[in-house]
Amino acid sequence: MTITFNEGQATLNGQPFENGASVSADGLYTIVVTDDANNQSTVNFGIDTRIPALASLIISDGDLSPTFSRDVMTYSTTVSNGVYGVSVTAATYSPNTELMINGQTTTNNTPIFVNLKVGANEIPITVSVPNSVQTETVKTYTINVYRKSKSSGGSNASAGSSPSNTGFAVIVNGVKQEQIATATTTQEGNRTAVTATLDNAKLANQLAALGENPMVIVPVTTSADKVSAVLTGESVKMLENKQGTLRIETPIAAYDIPANLIAIDNVSAQFGSTLPLSDVMVHVSIEISSADKASKLTAAGNRQGFTLSGAPIDFSIQASHGEQTVTVDKFPTYVQREIVIPDGVDASKITTAVVLNPDGTVHHVPTTITVRDGKYFASINSLTNSTYSLIYNQKTFDDISSHWSKDAVEDMASRLVINGEDATHFNPDASITRAEFAAIVVRGLGLAEDQTTNQFKDVTASDWFSGAVAKAVEYHLIQGYEDGTFGPNQTITREEALVLVSRAMDVAGKEGISVNVHSALGKFADHLEVSDWAAKDVAKTVTSGLAQGTGEKLEPQTNITRAETATLIQRLLSKFSLINKRMK
């Protein structure tokens, strides 16, 4: 914009302005022109080059009709029944516009995964220009996606019809065994379920010929909303006696469950002490989560600034006898499950998996990204069964840009393990309290802060850290002081922190590390400063490579900093392959 005036002198936003000069930057302006008689004329105006429009719009499955054009507001496409969700990626013309896809705030070229129900699905894409001087500040584009229903032919059962039954092969120690199971396909409304029931006698014959640690794989290649493997408690016990593992594989996920972790004897006892294990049916299931759970995850992402990178998935184990059921949802050690990263989702845009809590909040679970035969997988280690979703989250803080801990802080913050002191500051060199450290360890291990404890006189249910402290007590991470207090607001020393990390190693299944206390600690000039009660645990963290000291010293009585905490927890999770370096 070129500005001219007839006579006199001018200022633009209080600064001298020459006649005929141009203004191009977005903003609000006030020009004041003063003539030779000292008369003033004032004009207010604004420049806003931001365009509330899309520059590109891409969907991972199907073709947009019509072909994308920024002035076309509505599109449609059709996908097969086996497509449970699509990734939508968009970009705007102007960097300072706001972009929202299906209710989730996002940025240019960051895909948003949208779950699809059978039939019509409407996906809104909104571009807005905040604080704009333009008349048109919002545009909403729409993609109408139609997901086909199952065909009535083949082996699928339509709603209200009898289920179909077919023979089913199971892989035992790498060898396919035909007809060892029966697959049943049922349809309830728009949701399809495949159930593979293993024959107890046939499985027993296979296991009898095998040694220890057999692997029984139930591979289901059919697209379904829910896949279950069903076997008797007796079959589970046979696998347990052989230290075997059951694995379910589906097109969207896989689940490995060591048979001993089902604890079938304890489960059966809940039905009655005299009940034969052959009368207990165990259902191990992988299921695409309900629309309600997906909505709760989307809402959590909007609150916390992350985006979903795939359909949420439920992993569950239930035992039944008649009308009675027992849920197995907690394990003493990590259980691994895999989620297939959907086509069209950039693996570098996967930060971690999260668990949906009953109250609609989420918490981190340790996650690695792997590639196998050209396909990307998220491998999740968790101590519970629940609803899981992959997310993309990128977090940094203004005060760590040149700090030595930058990578670790960003990694742990992006995984929802640590928080800043506010949205833009981490304060890396500050000390950390005992409650804060306990909470970070609990989050790092993937534990929910969902309980309360009355073990400590100075921890009440209303304290923000009560859930984390309760969970730390449950998993024997903390013990508190002899006077019955925990000291949540006291700063934590390096040796206290290392003791807690040593116990976290036990939770991660690394309790069997051989430790020579004298050898491990003797190399540090200040090893005599390590308290007797802490020596073995501190030596354990040194032996495992988690505690490295500062030069020739361990500084056990010095307070640990927030930066050192982030680095230590990242090192703990990485050392035991619970997380890996994020893809770029």
Side-chain angles (χ1 to χ4, degrees):
M1 174 186 291
T2 301
I3 301 175
T4 60
F5 45 90
N6 294 328
E7 61 175 321
Q9 305 293 319
T11 62
L12 184 67
N13 287 355
Q15 300 298 317
F17 185 81
E18 293 185 6
N19 192 5
S22 296
V23 180
S24 59
D26 287 2
L28 297 175
Y29 295 92
T30 299
I31 187 167
V32 179
V33 179
T34 305
D35 64 16
D36 295 338
N38 209 33
N39 297 312
Q40 289 188 336
S41 297
T42 301
V43 177
N44 297 310
F45 65 96
I47 298 176
D48 196 341
T49 59
R50 296 173 295 174
I51 303 172
L54 290 180
S56 64
L57 180 61
I58 301 170
I59 191 168
S60 59
D61 288 270
D63 297 317
L64 293 181
S65 178
T67 302
F68 173 74
S69 170
R70 84 175 209 183
D71 297 320
V72 176
M73 308 307 295
T74 303
Y75 302 86
S76 62
T77 190
T78 299
V79 298
S80 67
N81 178 262
V83 177
Y84 294 93
V86 292
S87 291
V88 178
T89 306
T92 63
Y93 278 95
S94 305
N96 295 322
T97 52
E98 295 180 353
L99 177 61
M100 185 175 288
I101 299 176
N102 201 45
Q104 281 194 263
T105 301
T106 186
T107 55
N108 283 348
N109 299 312
T110 297
I112 295 296
F113 191 86
V114 181
N115 294 313
L116 299 178
K117 67 179 186 294
V118 172
N121 299 264
E122 183 178 282
I123 305 174
I125 303 96
T126 302
V127 187
S128 59
V129 180
N131 305 315
S132 176
V133 298
Q134 299 186 46
T135 303
E136 184 179 35
T137 61
V138 179
K139 277 189 176 181
T140 299
Y141 297 76
T142 302
I143 303 177
N144 294 307
V145 182
Y146 186 84
R147 178 185 165 203
K148 294 179 180 178
S149 61
K150 284 275 189 180
S151 62
S152 58
S155 62
N156 298 306
S158 60
S161 65
S162 300
S164 62
N165 296 280
T166 58
F168 190 84
V170 171
I171 300 170
V172 181
N173 269 13
V175 179
K176 182 182 287 188
Q177 304 294 336
E178 300 289 349
Q179 307 301 316
I180 201 171
T182 301
T184 302
T185 303
T186 57
Q187 189 106 12
E188 295 182 10
N190 291 326
R191 293 181 72 85
T192 304
V194 174
T195 303
T197 304
L198 280 69
D199 185 286
N200 187 67
K202 292 179 180 179
L203 180 61
N205 289 336
Q206 292 295 325
L207 294 178
L210 299 176
E212 299 294 298
N213 306 308
M215 170 72 80
V216 177
I217 301 176
V218 181
V220 178
T221 58
T222 304
S223 295
D225 297 282
K226 182 177 183 178
V227 171
S228 299
V230 180
L231 60 168
T232 68
E234 186 177 4
S235 293
V236 173
K237 189 63 179 179
M238 287 188 290
L239 264 177
E240 178 184 324
N241 290 338
K242 292 270 189 176
Q243 301 178 52
T245 298
L246 177 68
R247 177 179 171 87
I248 304 177
E249 295 178 347
T250 80
I252 60 168
Y255 188 15
D256 290 5
I257 178 71
N260 68 298
L261 297 185
I262 297 176
I264 191 61
D265 290 328
N266 293 337
V267 169
S268 178
Q270 296 181 57
F271 296 121
S273 59
T274 61
L275 184 69
L277 290 178
S278 57
D279 290 346
V280 178
M281 303 303 297
V282 178
H283 303 248
V284 183
S285 303
I286 299 172
E287 181 176 10
I288 294 176
S289 303
S290 66
D292 178 61
K293 290 179 179 178
S295 295
K296 289 180 178 178
L297 282 160
T298 298
N302 288 339
R303 290 193 303 270
Q304 294 182 243
F306 63 78
T307 57
L308 304 187
S309 299
I313 298 175
D314 296 343
F315 295 85
S316 64
I317 300 175
Q318 277 198 331
S320 63
H321 172 65
E323 297 298 318
Q324 296 177 279
T325 60
V326 173
T327 298
V328 180
D329 58 5
K330 197 173 187 179
F331 309 106
T333 189
Y334 284 116
V335 174
Q336 189 174 83
R337 61 216 73 204
E338 288 182 337
I339 293 179
V340 179
I341 296 177
D343 292 336
V345 174
D346 184 351
S348 68
K349 299 292 186 181
I350 306 293
T351 304
T352 188
V354 296
V355 167
L356 176 65
N357 300 318
D359 63 356
T361 61
V362 301
H363 68 266
H364 153 271
V365 278
T367 306
T368 61
I369 305 300
T370 58
V371 60
R372 192 166 63 244
D373 299 327
K375 190 75 176 175
Y376 287 93
F377 301 83
S379 296
I380 303 166
N381 286 282
S382 177
L383 295 158
T384 62
N385 278 332
S386 192
T387 298
Y388 296 82
S389 180
L390 304 180
I391 68 165
Y392 175 62
N393 189 40
Q394 191 68 34
K395 185 65 179 174
T396 190
F397 302 96
D398 293 345
D399 56 356
I400 62 168
S401 59
S402 59
H403 199 272
W404 63 266
S405 65
K406 178 178 183 293
D407 289 346
V409 171
E410 289 181 341
D411 187 25
M412 293 295 95
S414 297
R415 292 180 186 270
L416 310 180
V417 174
I418 59 175
N419 300 316
E421 293 200 336
D422 57 41
T424 57
H425 297 89
F426 183 70
N427 201 3
D429 297 318
S431 299
I432 192 166
T433 68
R434 288 166 56 82
E436 289 170 332
F437 192 88
I440 290 170
V441 173
V442 164
R443 293 181 202 134
L445 292 172
L447 303 174
E449 301 170 58
D450 59 357
Q451 297 175 205
T452 58
T453 180
N454 58 5
Q455 179 160 333
F456 303 116
K457 295 185 292 187
D458 53 355
V459 176
T460 64
S462 60
D463 292 324
W464 70 263
F465 48 78
S466 62
V469 170
K471 192 63 68 170
V473 168
E474 178 186 350
Y475 281 87
H476 309 292
L477 298 173
I478 59 175
Q479 296 175 345
Y481 297 114
E482 292 180 355
D483 63 357
T485 64
F486 175 60
N489 297 314
Q490 297 176 24
T491 54
I492 189 169
T493 64
R494 290 166 62 88
E495 77 171 7
E496 289 175 324
L498 292 178
V499 168
L500 208 158
V501 168
S502 170
R503 295 168 183 165
M505 292 169 60
D506 296 344
V507 175
K510 308 299 177 183
E511 67 274 13
I513 295 176
S514 177
V515 176
N516 184 312
V517 175
H518 178 75
S519 175
L521 301 183
K523 60 185 176 182
F524 296 104
D526 56 353
H527 66 276
L528 294 179
E529 296 179 20
V530 178
S531 302
D532 291 342
W533 66 269
K536 185 174 181 179
D537 283 313
V538 173
K540 182 175 162 185
T541 62
V542 171
T543 301
S544 65
L546 298 180
Q548 299 174 356
T550 56
E552 297 180 351
K553 292 186 176 183
L554 195 57
E555 299 186 2
Q557 304 307 322
T558 301
N559 289 334
I560 194 169
T561 68
R562 291 170 57 81
E564 289 169 336
T565 297
T567 303
L568 182 59
I569 301 307
Q570 184 196 48
R571 195 178 293 155
L572 167 70
L573 299 177
S574 300
K575 180 75 175 180
F576 301 121
S577 302
L578 296 175
I579 64 172
N580 59 358
K581 189 173 182 179
R582 292 175 56 193
M583 296 182 178
K584 299 294 186 181

